[in-house]
């Protein structure tokens, strides 16, 4: 896949960002981009069918996607770089690290999974079904999954409806292919092969992925460090500054 819409901004060591399924760089990393670009040269491509990137012609292939994103960073002028993956983007980040160890200097994996469990599959299957229905129902469902119960409880009905309208208006055209990739992902063999310094960040209020999935990833990556934040899956929405600090402090330390 070529022609991915990419923003390159900032100064310092190169940092490749990989967003999640049904998201985009702006949706998943937007609130922390300003902070990251103060410390890193951020390379931020939208995955196929997200942001300004065209949809893939067929099913997404995890290895090809990892190769393509590494190629984006190299063509941006960086022989080596850190990679920060979010949600499904963690699978791409891990695959890039294993396939291109000479390029990837270190990893930050936020709300990752080795493979989804049965409880998460039920939620993702419903998400996929709702893609074919009214946008309002899909948007409310996504909002209920992405935010923690505590965050949702603080929203007024008008605020919740406003968020849902925003989600409904920005559903990527590639969402179905992204979801299919989630359902096919299994990093059981790849994670033990990661040789780079790795930080895994979990979200204790995650309602999309079981929080245990992140800890499992941390256990499988040799020498990985683990931290968590008291928020839902949408870390950038609920805990932007603490998330930015974790990423920045860790990568500057390695």
């Amino acid at each position: 896949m070529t022609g991915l819409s990419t923003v390159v901004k900032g100064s310092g060591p190169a940092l490749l960002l990989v967003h999640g399924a049904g998201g985009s760089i702006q949706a998943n990393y937007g609130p922390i981009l300003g902070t990251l670009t103060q410390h890193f040269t951020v390379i931020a491509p939208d995955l196929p069918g997200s942001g300004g990137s065209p949809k893939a012609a067929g099913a997404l292939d995890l290895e090809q996607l990892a190769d393509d994103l590494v190629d984006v960073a190299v063509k941006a002028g960086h022989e080596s770089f850190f990679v920060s993956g979010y949600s499904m983007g963690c699978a791409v980040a891990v695959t890039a690290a294993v396939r291109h160890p000479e390029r990837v200097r270190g990893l930050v994996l936020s709300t990752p999974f080795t493979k989804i469990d049965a409880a998460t599959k039920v939620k993702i299957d419903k998400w996929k079904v709702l893609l074919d229905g009214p946008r309002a129902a899909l948007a409310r469902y996504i909002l209920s999954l992405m935010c923690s119960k505590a965050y949702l409880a603080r929203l007024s009905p008008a605020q919740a409806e406003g968020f849902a309208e925003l989600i409904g208006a920005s559903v990527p055209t590639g969402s179905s292919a992204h979801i299919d990739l989630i359902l096919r992902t299994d990093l059981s063999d790849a994670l033990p092969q990661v040789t780079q310094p790795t930080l895994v960040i979990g979200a204790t209020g995650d309602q999309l992925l079981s929080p245990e999935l992140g800890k499992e990833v941390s256990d499988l990556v040799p020498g990985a460090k683990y931290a968590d934040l008291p928020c839902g899956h949408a870390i950038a929405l609920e805990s932007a500054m603490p998330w930015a600090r974790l990423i920045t402090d860790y990568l500057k330390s390695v």
Side-chain angles (χ1 to χ4, degrees), residues 8-16 36-37 39-43 76 78 81:
V8 180
K9 189 176 181 182
S11 59
L15 172 60
L16 175 65
L36 294 180
T37 56
H39 304 278
F40 305 99
T41 300
V42 172
I43 306 154
H78 302 281
F81 39 86

Side-chain angles (χ1 to χ4, degrees), residues 111-124:
T111 63
F113 57 90
T114 306
K115 58 183 177 181
I116 58 169
D117 56 9
T120 304
K121 185 178 185 301
V122 169
K123 298 171 189 174
I124 290 177

